[in-house]
Amino acid sequence: SQQGEEDPQALSIQEGENATMNCSYKTSINNLQWYRQNSGRGLVHLILIRSNEREKHSGRLRVTLDTSKKSSSLLITASRAADTASYFCATGRSGNTGKLIFGQGTTLQVKP
Amino acid sequence: DGGITQSPKYLFRKEGQNVTLSCEQNLNHDAMYWYRQDPGQGLRLIYYSQIVNDFQKGDIAEGYSVSREKKESFPLTVTSAQKNPTAFYLCASSISSGSEQFFGPGTRLTVL
């Protein structure tokens, strides 16, 4: 079963705008990770946030985690056409063996 | 994709044939994973291995088999028992269970 559900499923914005993607999950987690996938390629790890962290930054990326609401958001600031990709959240569950459960992803299109 | 290779990139097989997908990593990672991705969907875990000579079933293991005889190699066999094998297969590795995963470029399998 899918642990993470992402919203929206698709997002289209103009270059320079910010893009926000949300992820909700159902059970307790150790960490939540965000990945990016360009069409037909493998996934690339973007950022990992642990269950005791609330916010994390990496370049133009900002991730928040609200464990009380079981949700996370990924903000990409000042988007570029090269940011066009699918973005997935993945949760590592408490007491687990390191398995990640992936959401269905948000497809982001950034128009030049 | 650096450090993890998957071959071939595209694979065509006739229905009823077994086929083996290769995954090799030179990152000295202990953990390796196989995922299946269907169009417009997230990743589903087929098998994972936390250490050499050991592996566990994921969420959709039926019709698949793996081996982990060497630390750097984790081949996946898609057997004739897998009812709908046409999909994009992704291999990943991580330094340890629960840490960020590094993905290969994927193998697109089409069963004719």
Side-chain angles (χ1 to χ4, degrees):
Chain A
S1 62
Q2 294 291 341
Q3 164 79 318
E5 294 185 2
E6 286 158 87
D7 170 58
Q9 288 190 334
L11 181 60
S12 182
I13 59 174
Q14 293 295 132
E15 209 165 23
E17 294 180 340
N18 294 344
T20 299
M21 289 160 266
N22 302 297
C23 171
S24 61
Y25 57 91
K26 297 176 182 176
T27 61
S28 296
I29 62 171
N30 275 335
N31 65 71
L32 187 144
Q33 303 180 32
W34 284 91
Y35 289 82
R36 166 197 169 121
Q37 183 182 35
N38 287 80
S39 181
R41 304 286 297 274
L43 277 69
V44 175
H45 182 267
L46 296 176
I47 201 163
L48 180 154
I49 187 165
R50 302 193 186 284
S51 59
N52 61 353
E53 297 175 311
R54 291 297 167 258
E55 188 170 312
K56 210 162 183 180
H57 296 255
S58 177
R60 293 184 296 112
L61 306 181
R62 172 179 170 248
V63 168
T64 62
L65 179 64
D66 187 335
T67 52
S68 66
K69 294 181 180 178
K70 292 187 169 58
S71 67
S72 173
S73 67
L74 170 67
L75 169 68
I76 303 174
T77 60
S79 64
R80 305 167 182 167
D83 294 329
T84 294
S86 292
Y87 293 83
F88 295 90
C89 69
T91 51
R93 299 197 328 232
S94 299
N96 206 282
T97 53
K99 291 166 52 178
L100 292 180
I101 307 297
F102 283 81
Q104 294 191 329
T106 293
T107 299
L108 172 66
Q109 181 185 30
V110 181
K111 299 176 183 176
Chain B
D1 302 342
I4 301 184
T5 58
Q6 289 185 244
S7 61
K9 187 171 182 178
Y10 298 97
L11 189 55
F12 297 89
R13 278 296 181 267
K14 293 182 180 179
E15 198 170 335
Q17 288 183 331
N18 291 358
V19 61
T20 298
L21 281 60
S22 168
C23 177
E24 304 277 332
Q25 53 100 358
N26 62 3
L27 301 169
N28 200 32
H29 285 173
D30 282 320
M32 296 187 75
Y33 313 82
W34 271 107
Y35 295 92
R36 170 184 172 135
Q37 186 177 32
D38 292 285
Q41 302 294 314
L43 278 63
R44 292 185 289 168
L45 183 65
I46 304 172
Y47 269 97
Y48 64 105
S49 168
Q50 292 178 277
I51 199 166
V52 66
N53 291 322
D54 186 49
F55 51 83
Q56 289 83 39
K57 293 181 179 180
D59 299 319
I60 55 165
E62 185 175 351
Y64 300 97
S65 66
V66 293
S67 62
R68 186 87 188 275
E69 296 176 2
K70 296 186 293 183
K71 187 175 186 178
E72 59 270 22
S73 178
F74 192 40
L76 172 74
T77 297
V78 185
T79 75
S80 56
Q82 168 49 235
K83 297 188 187 312
N84 185 19
T86 294
F88 189 48
Y89 290 88
L90 287 159
C91 178
S93 70
S94 62
I95 194 165
S96 62
S97 297
S99 57
E100 67 176 279
Q101 295 185 11
F102 293 79
F103 282 80
T107 293
R108 191 167 298 279
L109 173 65
T110 302
V111 175
L112 305 172

